[in-house]
Amino acid sequence: MNSDELGELLEALRDGTIDDAQTARLDQILAEDPEALDHFVDRALLQADLTFKLGRQPAMPAPARRRRASWKPLLALAAAAAVVVAALLAIPTKQPESPSYEGCAVLTRALDVTWGDSAPSLGSVLPKRRLSLLSGSIQVEFFSGARVVVEGPADFELVSRNEGFCRHGKLRAVVPPQAKGFTIGASDLKLVDRGTEFGLRVPRGGDAEVHVFQGMVELHSRGTSRDLGGGSAVRVDGAGTILPIPADTEGFLTSAELTFRSAEEGRGRYARWESASERLRQDPRVAVYYSFEDSPSWSRELRCNRPERSPVDGAIIGARWTDGRWPGKKALEFKTPGDRVRFQDAGTYESLTLMTWVRVDGLDRPFSGLMLTDGWTSGSVHWQITQTGKLRLGIHGDKISNDYDTEPMFPAGNLGRWIHLCTVYDRQAREVVHYVDGRLSRRLPLKFDTALQLGNVEFGNWGSPIDGSHYGIRHLNGRMDEFVIFGQALKESDVRELYQVGAPAP
Amino acid sequence: MDRGEQFVRLFLQHQRRIYGLILALVPNGPDADDIHQETCAVLWQKFGEFEAGTNFSAWALRIARYQVMAYYTTKRRTKARLSDETLDAVVDRMAARPEREDARSAALDGCLGDLPEDDRQLIELRYRGGASVEEVARHTGRTVVAAYKALNRAHERLLQCMRGKLGAANA
């Protein structure tokens, strides 16, 4: 038996177009070949699963319509079904597909930081891990509500959603009542907060200092504990001796100062990006450019920045203006299934580079559209993210199509932060190359080569699927604040440079 | 838990494979729905005969099989049909499958997400859109023969992925 024949018989059976000879053939295959029988059962179960998931579910009995004597129990069934279905829905059922992560805090500020080991991204969720700062300052917001500003050089460990450990460095913690019990350990002591604001300084190889600015902190050291009130400060030496010292309120960077200085730093980066954006507008390699900057915020048009090449302003449908990578940088937010920006491009491309800055807030749909041409026919380009978090370039040639996927690249930590995505379709080198945040993510050989034509295109959604058919929605849940299409394949070094000049933070 | 609840709980747990059996034997459409409803009614009527703790799946599938046979008779279908022996074999094989509806559903979600775009569109057309193979052919600019092949490929790809995710031959 071959699986083609069996599968085709099953499809024909589903449609009711199976004829007598085919039925006899199916019967014969199933009777003679146990493997075929297994396969048939597999397919039948898959068909039922798909019907339940995507299609119309079979109706339950409708007792009132029936004339048979059985209507009474059926009424009971209907009643029981109503109750039990409700009850079953209320039971927190296992959700094996529900994503989870070992997060305990979010990195919300990072100023002039040089990381000692792997650098987490600004805005990302931090799992339990050590943060090693050679220099610079960061702000970490624990899930419990405690907020900690750490000044480098420092070695600070996230122990849980309400606990940290400082090997060395300087930090200032603000602990609201709901994070009571927030704990910070150091080699010779442990601080348990009772709703306050305090500073901790742990010099490398020196004595630790605790400064309480407000409220009350329990200091545990060498088996003893004592309460420190607002305005007090102590030094704890290696032997556990506790000495009062003058409180130093000025010596610890506050959250407000850090925010102010980060905003200044952000303005510097924004200005640097702006001049790079000006250069991009003149760049002969650029075919389509939307900087998202030139439209007033009441406008429903997305100004194109290469009028001589892509003469069409994008029409904004549903999406709303909001902040982009920096305060003041314009972006569009895509949230609901109708949201999209629709534009047009008349070019034909041998090779193509797609580049965007997006903040993906969630992967709600089987596909989240970045840029999709209408339909799915010869020359179509579909650039999107799959629900499993793979960046995908789908190319349609003459009666043939192929998807080029990265590995999943949207763990929970990558949601809600600005990310640079770039995909190169290179007909000369016969490859597709994906870059994430300026770094090579995946290189895939071309399955076939074809010139690409965009025509009508949408950002953040899919314009028109094949007429008359039913497709799931593909809207993006997130923000976009720059989109460039280069009419040629960019090199790795070009992509890295574009990333660096646009990165929201170092 | 009263008997009604017990029944509905068991029924909901097994309804996919019951429907799976019916769909493997009868064209998708009003007839399959009728058989499904009838089966549901008979299962409830006879639930008193079901011994708690025994294999509900085997019991329910056997009843569904009789409903399919009854349908063959009442329709007095001239068309050929699967032999009783084959029906029995299908029912036995299906009843022997481990019950992992939650795991199956999760695996299917993942596999649908990983499916190449072309295949996914075919599956969407076929199930969400309820298109026949002929309609699939028309919508996608294929010959009917090619549509059969393409649908088959999409299903096989899903099946392979499901097997991988469920970690056993019993996808």
Side-chain angles (χ1 to χ4, degrees), chain A residues 231-254:
Chain A
S232 64
V234 294
R235 175 176 293 137
V236 183
D237 69 16
T241 317
I242 298 170
L243 287 172
I245 54 169
D248 175 11
T249 46
E250 304 297 309
F252 296 85
L253 184 63
T254 65

Side-chain angles (χ1 to χ4, degrees), chain A residues 303-321:
Chain A
R303 286 284 146 70
C304 74
N305 299 112
R306 284 310 295 265
E308 75 285 8
R309 294 290 293 274
S310 53
V312 180
D313 289 341
I316 301 169
I317 300 121
R320 286 151 302 277
W321 289 107

Side-chain angles (χ1 to χ4, degrees), chain A residues 4 11 14-15 20 27 38-39 42-43 49 53 56 66 68 70 73 84 376 382 384 403 474, chain B residues 5 16 28 33 37-38 44-45 80 83 86 97 104-105 109 116-118 126 133 152 156 163:
Chain A
D4 273 13
E11 297 301 318
R14 182 179 172 88
D15 284 357
D20 288 0
D27 197 60
D38 252 338
H39 200 91
D42 275 347
R43 286 283 294 258
D49 282 338
K53 193 163 295 279
R56 186 182 50 94
R66 296 189 172 254
R68 299 175 39 146
S70 64
V84 175
W376 182 237
H382 284 186
Q384 50 197 342
D403 298 322
R474 297 196 178 181
Chain B
E5 287 180 37
R16 286 188 185 207
N28 183 32
D33 271 15
Q37 290 197 10
E38 205 56 42
W44 170 241
Q45 278 174 342
S83 65
T86 305
R97 288 300 168 85
R104 288 184 64 88
S105 173
D109 279 341
E117 175 136 1
D118 244 13
R126 185 92 166 124
V133 177
N152 206 40
E156 289 301 320
R163 284 187 187 125

Side-chain angles (χ1 to χ4, degrees), chain A residues 3-4 7-8 11-18 20 23 26-27 30 34 37-56 58-61 65-66 68 70 73-74 76-77 80-81 84-85 88 91 94 96-97 366-367 376 382 384 386 388 390 392 401 403 462 466-467 469-472 474, chain B residues 4-5 7-9 11-12 15-17 19-20 23-29 33 36-38 40-41 44-45 78-83 86 89-90 93-94 97 102 104-106 108-110 112-118 120-121 123-129 132-134 139 148-149 151-152 155-156 158-159 162-163 169 171:
Chain A
S3 75
D4 273 13
E8 283 168 26
E11 297 301 318
L13 197 154
R14 182 179 172 88
D15 284 357
T17 56
I18 190 166
D20 288 0
T23 306
L26 180 60
D27 197 60
L30 295 179
L37 182 61
D38 252 338
H39 200 91
F40 182 77
V41 168
D42 275 347
R43 286 283 294 258
L45 289 173
L46 175 66
Q47 188 172 302
D49 282 338
L50 284 166
T51 307
F52 267 79
K53 193 163 295 279
L54 303 174
R56 186 182 50 94
M60 292 293 270
R65 280 211 328 258
R66 296 189 172 254
R68 299 175 39 146
S70 64
L74 284 175
L77 167 62
V84 175
V85 168
L88 290 177
I91 297 171
K94 304 147 261 169
E97 72 270 46
F367 296 102
W376 182 237
H382 284 186
Q384 50 197 342
T386 70
T388 47
K390 296 174 180 175
R392 166 177 291 187
S401 70
D403 298 322
W462 188 19
I466 304 161
D467 287 340
S469 56
H470 305 251
Y471 292 103
R474 297 196 178 181
Chain B
E5 287 180 37
F7 172 70
V8 175
R9 192 177 283 262
F11 181 78
L12 292 182
Q15 60 174 347
R16 286 188 185 207
R17 70 173 58 197
Y19 198 48
L23 283 184
L25 305 173
V26 177
N28 183 32
D33 271 15
H36 180 260
Q37 290 197 10
E38 205 56 42
C40 181
W44 170 241
Q45 278 174 342
T78 48
K79 272 191 179 180
R81 61 180 190 83
L82 298 181
S83 65
T86 305
V90 171
R93 202 56 69 95
M94 206 174 261
R97 288 300 168 85
D102 283 351
R104 288 184 64 88
S105 173
L108 185 58
D109 279 341
L112 279 171
D114 288 347
L115 209 56
E117 175 136 1
D118 244 13
R120 174 149 184 121
Q121 289 189 0
I123 294 287
E124 293 256 354
L125 264 176
R126 185 92 166 124
Y127 291 92
R128 204 188 291 281
S132 67
V133 177
E134 241 189 272
H139 273 308
Y148 268 112
K149 285 213 177 351
L151 273 170
N152 206 40
H155 280 98
E156 289 301 320
L158 269 179
L159 212 52
M162 297 269 287
R163 284 187 187 125

Side-chain angles (χ1 to χ4, degrees), chain B:
Chain B
M1 200 184 338
D2 81 5
R3 293 187 26 74
E5 287 180 37
Q6 245 171 42
F7 172 70
V8 175
R9 192 177 283 262
L10 281 167
F11 181 78
L12 292 182
Q13 265 166 24
H14 296 91
Q15 60 174 347
R16 286 188 185 207
R17 70 173 58 197
I18 295 169
Y19 198 48
L21 177 73
I22 295 168
L23 283 184
L25 305 173
V26 177
N28 183 32
D31 286 350
D33 271 15
D34 282 352
I35 296 171
H36 180 260
Q37 290 197 10
E38 205 56 42
T39 303
C40 181
V42 175
L43 285 172
W44 170 241
Q45 278 174 342
K46 300 201 174 203
F47 191 51
E49 298 164 21
F50 173 70
E51 216 176 305
T54 62
N55 189 340
F56 183 84
S57 177
W59 181 72
L61 288 175
R62 199 143 292 279
I63 287 174
R65 168 204 191 278
Y66 283 114
Q67 292 311 311
V68 171
M69 287 173 68
Y71 159 82
Y72 283 152
T73 322
T74 56
K75 285 276 168 173
R76 279 194 293 279
R77 291 166 60 90
T78 48
K79 272 191 179 180
R81 61 180 190 83
L82 298 181
S83 65
D84 291 354
E85 293 74 29
T86 305
L87 286 188
D88 282 340
V90 171
V91 166
D92 288 349
R93 202 56 69 95
M94 206 174 261
R97 288 300 168 85
E99 285 148 28
R100 311 159 71 184
E101 303 239 327
D102 283 351
R104 288 184 64 88
S105 173
L108 185 58
D109 279 341
C111 291
L112 279 171
D114 288 347
L115 209 56
E117 175 136 1
D118 244 13
D119 289 350
R120 174 149 184 121
Q121 289 189 0
L122 290 168
I123 294 287
E124 293 256 354
L125 264 176
R126 185 92 166 124
Y127 291 92
R128 204 188 291 281
S132 67
V133 177
E134 241 189 272
E135 287 166 328
V136 169
R138 229 184 9 252
H139 273 308
T140 60
R142 287 182 167 89
T143 63
V144 173
V145 174
Y148 268 112
K149 285 213 177 351
L151 273 170
N152 206 40
R153 190 195 54 213
H155 280 98
E156 289 301 320
R157 203 165 269 173
L158 269 179
L159 212 52
Q160 215 170 356
C161 170
M162 297 269 287
R163 284 187 187 125
K165 282 207 195 307
L166 293 170
N170 293 317

